[in-house]
Amino acid sequence: MGNNLFADTLPYKDWYKMNNAQRMHESGVEYTFVFLPNAFICALSFPRYALTLTGLYAMAHYNLIKTYTGARGYNNAMIPEEMMRFTWILM
């Protein structure tokens, strides 16, 4: 993704927030487009199970965004990220 000329003019705090937002957007794109086809395939045979795991995945991803963009950043976001990956494996 990278930064552009606009990012060079930002103070460090704003630059940091912008880069975290870019990382979370890319994470959403990267994981969701793998998770959703698997959820659809699982829902053909086990609809309740797929719905439950999709809800857990959405909650884990929301928590990941909230903790990653918080004060401690990535160091605090490891648990929601692992929960998101765990639901991915269960699917």
Side-chain angles (χ1 to χ4, degrees), residues 1 17-32 60-70 73-74 77 81 84:
M1 287 181 290
K17 284 182 180 180
M18 186 183 77
N19 277 317
N20 278 342
Q22 282 182 333
R23 285 186 192 107
M24 287 299 94
H25 178 266
E26 185 63 28
S27 170
V29 169
E30 181 179 320
Y31 286 119
T32 303
H61 193 69
Y62 177 76
N63 287 335
L64 175 67
I65 291 170
K66 286 297 185 189
T67 55
Y68 197 95
T69 55
Y74 180 74
E81 185 174 8
M84 194 172 68

Side-chain angles (χ1 to χ4, degrees), residues 1-10 15 18 22:
M1 287 181 290
N3 294 314
N4 56 15
L5 295 175
F6 172 73
D8 291 339
T9 62
L10 290 174
W15 173 84
M18 186 183 77
Q22 282 182 333

